[in-house]
Amino acid sequence: MVRMIMHGCNGKMGQVISGICQEDSEIEIVAGIDPYTGIVNPYPVFSKIEECQIEADVVVDFAAASGVDGLLDYCIARQMPVVLCTTGLSEEQLKKVEEASRQTAVLKSANMSLGINMLMELLQTAAKILAPAGFDMEIVEKHHNQKVDAPSGTALALADSINEALGNSYEYNYDRTKERKKRESCEIGIQAVRGGSIVGEHEVIFAGLDEVIEIKHTAYSKGIFAKGAVEAAKFLAGRPAGRYDMKDVIAK
């Protein structure tokens, strides 16, 4: 059984992951880290990660970006694999992630959903067939009205996946209102919609002559990201130092 430390255990995602692990016989949370200790959990909770001396196989992080530096130092010192799910890391922190991956196993992905990461694989296959045949490619992403970044990191990851399959020869167009001109053939349009309580919706459109193919992923709850994080933790435990992502989890 995989022994896991949950960094950010008393946040919304931390609590969802705790519930998933209680029902999964392959993994157990042996300790939690959170500055707020007002929630009763079936495992000990420490306010600072430095205080945790419990033996574990992997750490899953769903906390604030400000805690990532200390987390990486902890994992490097103990040679402990870490699944980084926290977003909004600075350039300096991203560099530290890469440095840490040379000393321990680090898994970081733009989106932890197994479905989204499978979609990226499908898009690469579709792009290799359809782009040379003259199909235009557009991405429309929808999220709740509290999301501050646009386009979403997932939309950019989908575009990057397509672009990688095509030799990174395409430009991204985020706003067609800036110029009145015909659409360029070597571009991927990315449009953002914000409204209500939409958890997350990403639609990729391949538009050709007299036919359109639409590939869509809809997230109905944040539980899909929690489930992906748990699967990533089970995958990463015992892995050698290196940089991993959800593609590796899917391909295992």
Side-chain angles (χ1 to χ4, degrees):
M1 178 181 287
V2 174
R3 300 165 299 171
M4 184 182 106
I5 294 173
M6 183 67 234
H7 189 246
C9 63
N10 287 337
K12 290 182 180 179
M13 292 302 296
Q15 286 296 291
V16 173
I17 290 174
S18 293
I20 291 174
C21 290
Q22 283 184 290
E23 302 297 323
D24 192 329
S25 60
E26 296 179 355
I27 192 166
E28 176 190 11
I29 299 179
V30 294
I33 313 296
D34 205 293
Y36 175 67
T37 57
I39 295 176
V40 177
N41 292 288
Y43 47 80
V45 177
F46 303 88
S47 59
K48 296 179 180 179
I49 194 165
E50 297 83 5
E51 299 171 354
C52 180
Q53 300 299 318
I54 294 176
E55 292 294 322
D57 303 306
V58 63
V59 179
V60 170
D61 166 59
F62 252 118
S66 58
V68 167
D69 293 303
L71 170 63
L72 290 175
D73 290 338
Y74 178 90
C75 291
I76 290 170
R78 289 162 178 76
Q79 297 292 285
M80 190 177 297
V82 57
V83 178
L84 284 175
C85 305
T86 297
T87 58
L89 302 186
S90 67
E91 289 298 321
E92 291 75 15
Q93 287 176 314
L94 291 174
K95 290 178 182 176
K96 188 166 185 175
V97 168
E98 296 304 322
E99 292 170 2
S101 70
R102 291 193 280 272
Q103 301 177 66
T104 190
V106 179
L107 189 150
K108 186 179 185 305
S109 238
N111 188 299
M112 298 304 296
S113 159
L114 293 171
I116 282 289
N117 283 276
M118 184 191 73
L119 176 59
M120 291 182 189
E121 298 291 319
L122 295 174
L123 290 178
Q124 290 200 330
T125 299
K128 289 176 183 177
I129 297 171
L130 299 175
F135 280 69
D136 296 320
M137 295 167 291
E138 296 282 319
I139 297 173
V140 179
E141 57 97 344
K142 303 175 184 178
H143 283 87
H144 53 84
N145 58 22
Q146 300 301 302
K147 188 172 180 63
V148 296
D149 57 320
S152 68
T154 299
L156 291 172
L158 294 175
D160 289 344
S161 182
I162 293 171
N163 210 359
E164 179 184 336
L166 301 174
N168 293 311
S169 58
Y170 279 63
E171 299 290 333
Y172 300 160
N173 190 326
Y174 305 104
D175 186 1
R176 299 194 187 283
T177 64
K178 292 181 178 179
E179 297 180 274
R180 291 180 58 85
K181 67 174 187 177
K182 178 182 174 183
R183 185 190 195 283
E184 299 290 344
S185 59
C186 288
E187 71 177 36
I188 300 172
I190 307 176
Q191 308 303 319
V193 175
R194 297 289 176 267
S197 59
I198 301 171
V199 175
E201 184 178 300
H202 294 84
E203 183 177 17
V204 182
I205 302 166
F206 292 91
L209 183 62
D210 297 331
E211 61 179 333
V212 175
I213 298 170
E214 298 175 347
I215 304 175
K216 179 180 175 182
H217 177 276
T218 302
Y220 292 103
S221 80
K222 292 184 177 181
I224 63 170
F225 311 120
K227 177 62 177 174
V230 171
E231 292 302 313
K234 290 192 284 187
F235 164 83
L236 200 65
R239 299 278 173 177
R243 182 75 158 78
Y244 301 85
D245 60 27
M246 288 301 287
K247 290 181 182 179
D248 299 306
V249 179
I250 292 172
K252 67 180 179 180

